[in-house]
């Protein structure tokens, strides 16, 4: 079973760009990886440039000569599985993205990089955008 998610960046004009992630989209999975390994815009941008992911890893790519492992390296559909490249989807704003994430991608969680921090919301019981760190603390995963 997969927990699907969108990972996004909010731009200065409030538009959002998102990629799909198929596995481990829950806060203690993707959320933890994002706050531990993609802490700046400079590290989040290359992540979105990969396009849709089967799995989010701690690193964009492996070291030369090493294979890709879903435990440590992102598994991109086009790069690692030979599928067509699916670039980031552009949304008018964060609310449009959240409201359509379930219908378009079957996503349960939506992550948003805004003002240098990662936020999360759900698609099944939408709430306010909350800091991933706060959600993890509440669930004792922080």
């Amino acid at each position: 079973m997969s927990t699907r998610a969108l990972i996004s960046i909010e731009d200065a004009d409030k538009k959002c760009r998102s990629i799909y992630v198929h596995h481990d989209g829950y806060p203690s999975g993707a959320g933890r990886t994002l706050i531990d390994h993609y802490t700046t815009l400079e590290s989040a941008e290359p992540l979105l440039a990969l396009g849709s992911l089967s799995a989010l890893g701690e690193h964009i790519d492996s070291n030369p000569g090493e294979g890709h492992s879903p435990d440590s390296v992102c598994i991109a559909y086009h790069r690692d599985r030979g599928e067509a490249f699916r670039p980031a989807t552009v949304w008018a704003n964060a609310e449009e993205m959240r409201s359509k994430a379930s219908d378009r991608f079957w996503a349960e969680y939506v992550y948003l990089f805004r003002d240098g921090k990662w936020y999360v919301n759900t698609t099944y019981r939408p709430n306010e955008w909350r800091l991933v760190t706060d959600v993890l603390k509440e669930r004792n995963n922080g």
Side-chain angles (χ1 to χ4, degrees), residues 2 10 28 52 55 58 63 73 83-84 92 94 96 106 114 127 135:
S2 300
E10 184 177 67
S28 62
S52 292
E58 298 172 1
N63 292 325
V73 177
E83 296 183 21
E96 178 194 35
W106 292 17
R114 170 190 277 167
N127 216 331
V135 171

Side-chain angles (χ1 to χ4, degrees), residues 76-142:
Y77 284 111
H78 79 284
R79 181 189 68 192
D80 304 310
R81 300 236 168 124
E83 296 183 21
F85 179 63
R86 291 178 266 177
T89 302
V90 178
W91 306 92
N93 54 51
E95 184 51 33
E96 178 194 35
M97 175 179 58
R98 192 224 37 89
S99 70
K100 295 181 179 179
S102 180
D103 288 341
R104 286 197 52 194
F105 296 96
W106 292 17
E108 294 181 46
Y109 294 94
V110 181
Y111 295 92
L112 178 65
F113 192 76
R114 170 190 277 167
D115 299 325
K117 296 180 180 172
W118 284 107
Y119 293 82
V120 64
N121 207 334
T122 63
T123 60
Y124 54 92
R125 279 190 297 181
N127 216 331
E128 65 206 33
W129 289 96
R130 301 187 56 217
L131 287 169
V132 172
T133 53
D134 291 347
V135 171
L136 290 173
K137 284 177 189 171
E138 279 180 13
R139 296 178 181 190
N140 296 317
N141 296 318

